[in-house]
Amino acid sequence: MKKKLIIKIGTSTLTAGTNRISFAVIESLARQIVELKKEFDIVIVSSGAIATARQFVEINGSHKNVDSKQAMAAIGQTKLMELYDDIFRTFGLNIAQILLTYRDFENEVANENTRNTINKLWEVDYIPIVNENDTVSIEEIVLGDNDKLSALVAVITKADLLILVSDIDGIYTCNPHLHPNAELITEVSDLNSITSCIEEKESTLGTGGMSSKIYAAEICMRHRVEMWIVNGQRANYIIKALNGGIPFTRFTAKA
């Protein structure tokens, strides 16, 4: 049996630091998945719907008003899936969309249905792409940029590994954007040991910061799912991380 890998990719990574979705970023992900599929069944948890919509329309208040953000998400979600589909198909990869809310994870029947759907998609060689259903739920828009969502998906699928693709190598002793002497922490088994290290960087793109990633790590560690933070700005970042070729932070539960 293949291992189960959840890949979460956020808005700041998908836009490569610009205000538009980067085709090259999605293409890089597709190239890696072609190789990864030999060993893993894969789910992608993808943000970026609102950023995608901004390439086509701007609704007044969409930077601060929840209803405007939800409308932007409704416009951008289909266009984001079109981008994934167009690019992934050139690599022979099939995708399917799954939209979830956090309420879905509070219901065991919904959990079972989601798990069964993902398993069936893997069986017929489709890659599920998961996002929060932003038109009926606001938590990701306001708080977490899908970090928590990806952890919950990893738990219900009994994943072997969750990789949070970020714009940084992982957790540092202090914010490396503010402190040049910051050192990367490569292994974390006790979250209490790093709480003093979390110092957020302002972002105009994604809503997820290190605090939301730590919360995702807490969920994963509680359910014994390994989680990594990997820098998506590095070439072949997932392949190289798996082969020990780049630095990153690994979260593992205590034995």
Side-chain angles (χ1 to χ4, degrees):
M1 286 181 61
K2 291 183 177 180
K3 295 179 181 178
K4 299 173 184 177
L5 170 64
I6 314 299
I7 301 168
K8 181 267 172 177
I9 187 161
T11 302
S12 61
T13 302
L14 283 168
T15 55
T18 70
N19 61 357
R20 291 178 173 270
I21 297 294
S22 168
F23 288 27
V25 169
I26 298 178
E27 184 176 299
S28 169
L29 179 60
R31 288 182 188 278
Q32 293 179 83
I33 286 175
V34 170
E35 185 67 25
L36 292 166
K37 279 179 83 271
K38 298 172 185 176
E39 184 179 353
F40 295 97
D41 285 325
I42 296 165
V43 174
I44 299 169
V45 178
S46 177
S47 303
I50 293 174
T52 304
R54 289 201 172 105
Q55 298 176 203
F56 301 92
V57 65
E58 188 61 68
I59 296 174
N60 287 339
S62 65
H63 288 277
K64 57 182 180 180
N65 297 336
V66 169
D67 58 348
S68 297
K69 286 183 176 182
Q70 288 177 310
M72 291 287 283
I75 293 167
Q77 189 62 42
T78 56
K79 297 185 182 300
L80 178 62
M81 287 303 103
E82 285 177 13
L83 284 178
Y84 271 110
D85 191 42
D86 288 345
I87 294 171
F88 273 44
R89 272 192 294 114
T90 65
F91 292 89
L93 300 171
N94 303 309
I95 66 160
Q97 182 184 45
I98 298 177
L99 294 176
L100 298 171
T101 70
Y102 287 97
R103 289 191 299 273
D104 295 326
F105 294 96
E106 296 168 0
N107 183 303
E108 186 50 45
V109 173
N111 279 347
E112 185 67 21
N113 289 339
T114 302
R115 183 163 47 245
N116 290 343
T117 298
I118 290 172
N119 286 334
K120 181 58 68 174
L121 288 169
W122 283 336
E123 188 180 308
V124 298
D125 199 28
Y126 272 70
I127 299 168
I129 298 185
V130 175
N131 196 356
E132 184 175 358
N133 189 351
D134 291 328
T135 57
V136 298
S137 178
I138 67 169
E139 189 163 350
E140 184 266 343
I141 283 177
V142 175
L143 294 174
D145 202 42
N146 281 333
D147 293 322
K148 176 183 173 184
L149 181 68
S150 64
L152 294 172
V153 170
V155 169
I156 69 166
T157 57
K158 297 181 172 60
D160 296 280
L161 176 62
L162 165 62
I163 294 180
L164 301 185
V165 182
S166 183
D167 57 0
I168 195 169
D169 286 336
I171 299 289
Y172 283 77
T173 51
C174 50
N175 190 330
H177 298 284
L178 302 174
H179 307 283
N181 61 337
E183 296 181 3
L184 181 69
I185 301 169
T186 57
E187 186 102 19
V188 177
S189 59
D190 178 10
L191 291 179
N192 291 328
S193 68
I194 60 167
T195 52
S196 63
C197 304
I198 306 306
E199 191 176 1
E200 297 290 9
K201 179 190 74 166
E202 289 295 320
S203 172
T204 58
L205 295 166
T207 56
M210 277 302 156
S211 297
S212 68
K213 289 172 175 53
I214 296 306
Y215 186 39
E218 182 183 355
I219 294 170
C220 286
M221 292 169 76
R222 195 186 316 139
H223 293 87
R224 300 202 169 276
V225 175
E226 188 161 330
M227 189 189 100
W228 299 356
I229 298 175
V230 173
N231 191 341
Q233 296 178 346
R234 293 180 177 270
N236 293 319
Y237 48 93
I238 300 174
I239 304 290
K240 287 185 176 177
L242 287 166
N243 293 330
I246 59 171
F248 62 92
T249 299
R250 178 196 312 258
F251 295 83
T252 55
K254 291 180 179 178

